Amino acid sequence: SGIISVSTGYVHTCAITSSGGVKCWGFNYDGLLGDGSDISRYAPDDVVGLTSGVISVSTGYMHTCAVTTSGGVKCWGDNHYGQLGDGTNTNRNAPVDVVGLTSGIASVPSGANHTCAVTTSGGVKCWGDNVQGKLGDGTNTNRNTPDDVVGLTSGIASISSGGGHTCAVTNSGGVKCWGDNLSGQLGINPGWVPVNVIGF
């Protein structure tokens, strides 16, 4: 009892309690669980500093991010590609603030090695691994701080991040995707910036 949501990563799981706290368990390489250690846990353990005040949590391949009640974003775990957004490539075993995102964020879906955020004004920012343009900033350069997605500064209702690509739902009900398109997952020709999915 007492849990309002849960998110499953590749080798770990995190849950939000009814009091707004975060607990994680599973594999803890690179501080994936955020409990201040690198010791794997077979039962839920509190994330350092996040015993309350969290509204959502998203688990990526080897990192995790949370949105606080004030609209800020905190991330922890593997940071090889800058996916924690703290301006470094240093792994963190406890939550750190994402640069520039201390308020105004509605949601933060975590991809494999990248992270994206939807602002309360409907804009999208991404950071981390940018192979094949999955950050949508028109380049394939990795970013260790949030960068605006080209053309998506407003009008976005929600986003979902996959292993190598990201898609967004617009307020008008359309879908735009960017990143890896090797298997046609963008629904159109590949691009390093958002493109409309055919038929939506």
Side-chain angles (χ1 to χ4, degrees), residues 6-152:
V6 66
S7 180
T8 54
Y10 179 60
V11 289
H12 76 299
T13 309
C14 293
I16 299 180
T17 68
S18 55
S19 60
V22 183
K23 294 176 179 286
C24 298
W25 60 98
F27 191 52
N28 200 18
Y29 185 72
D30 290 339
L32 188 55
L33 304 184
D35 66 352
S37 79
D38 293 305
I39 301 170
S40 296
R41 307 289 181 181
Y42 298 101
D45 199 21
D46 289 328
V47 173
V48 173
L50 297 184
T51 55
S52 64
V54 173
I55 59 173
S56 68
V57 66
S58 177
T59 51
Y61 176 66
M62 291 292 286
H63 75 292
T64 307
C65 293
V67 179
T68 67
T69 52
S70 62
V73 181
K74 294 177 179 288
C75 298
W76 59 95
D78 178 46
N79 200 23
H80 182 73
Y81 299 96
Q83 60 265 49
L84 302 188
D86 67 345
T88 77
N89 292 89
T90 303
N91 299 336
R92 308 291 185 179
N93 60 18
V96 291
D97 291 324
V98 174
V99 172
L101 301 187
T102 55
S103 63
I105 301 301
S107 64
V108 179
S110 301
N113 293 307
H114 76 295
T115 312
C116 293
V118 179
T119 68
T120 51
S121 60
V124 183
K125 296 174 180 288
C126 296
W127 59 97
D129 182 20
N130 200 19
V131 64
Q132 295 173 317
K134 73 175 80 171
L135 301 187
D137 65 354
T139 77
N140 64 348
T141 302
N142 295 345
R143 308 288 182 184
N144 57 21
T145 59
D147 199 18
D148 291 327
V149 174
V150 173
L152 300 188

